[in-house]
Amino acid sequence: RRRLNRYLSSMKSITVEPLQAWRQDGTKHTLVDIREPYVRSVSHLDGLHIPMSEVMNRISELPQDGPLVIHCRSGARSAAVTQALTLQHGMDNVHNLTGGIMAWASTIEPQMDVA
């Protein structure tokens, strides 16, 4: 349990403001939306779409040469995926988008609908 708590406190994450800066200045990164297709159809950001249930079977599709930003609706499920990719697969380029697309919509694109 201590190991998990220590990991969770050091898990890489990014908030919407620096992600927006990366998108604006062209900093190389890959955004991975892990929400289900019917939810993503309401609102999404450019990037890969791999539903949470498929991520572990599609690891080969995740680029290794730059930051991966995993996002969901609120940041909880993407935190679990970030943890699994880091701990189980040794990927050190994975970041959780804190607050998920809800944070993006409320801070960066207030006109965005979020399902």
Side-chain angles (χ1 to χ4, degrees):
R1 182 144 179 100
R2 283 185 190 162
R3 182 175 171 218
L4 178 59
N5 288 339
R6 187 169 44 245
Y7 170 74
L8 290 175
S9 67
S10 65
M11 180 176 63
K12 290 181 184 177
S13 63
I14 187 170
T15 58
V16 295
E17 293 87 351
L19 177 60
Q20 173 68 346
W22 284 3
R23 293 168 64 84
Q24 288 176 333
D25 68 21
T27 297
K28 184 175 182 160
H29 68 282
T30 302
L31 189 62
V32 182
D33 187 339
I34 64 163
R35 298 174 300 151
E36 293 299 317
Y38 68 91
V39 178
R40 188 176 187 272
S41 68
V42 173
S43 60
H44 67 276
L45 302 171
D46 293 337
L48 294 177
H49 176 234
I50 304 176
M52 182 177 182
S53 62
E54 300 175 20
V55 172
M56 296 308 153
N57 295 323
R58 295 174 61 184
I59 290 176
S60 64
E61 297 175 38
L62 301 174
Q64 301 290 318
D65 60 346
L68 289 175
V69 179
I70 311 294
H71 86 85
C72 62
R73 184 173 188 266
S74 68
R77 288 174 294 136
S78 55
V81 169
T82 299
Q83 175 185 352
L85 291 172
T86 304
L87 291 178
Q88 296 172 14
H89 297 282
M91 298 177 69
D92 63 359
N93 63 329
V94 185
H95 299 72
N96 179 48
L97 181 60
T98 303
I101 201 162
M102 288 174 42
W104 181 271
S106 68
T107 305
I108 308 296
E109 290 188 52
Q111 72 282 6
M112 178 183 276
D113 289 331
V114 178

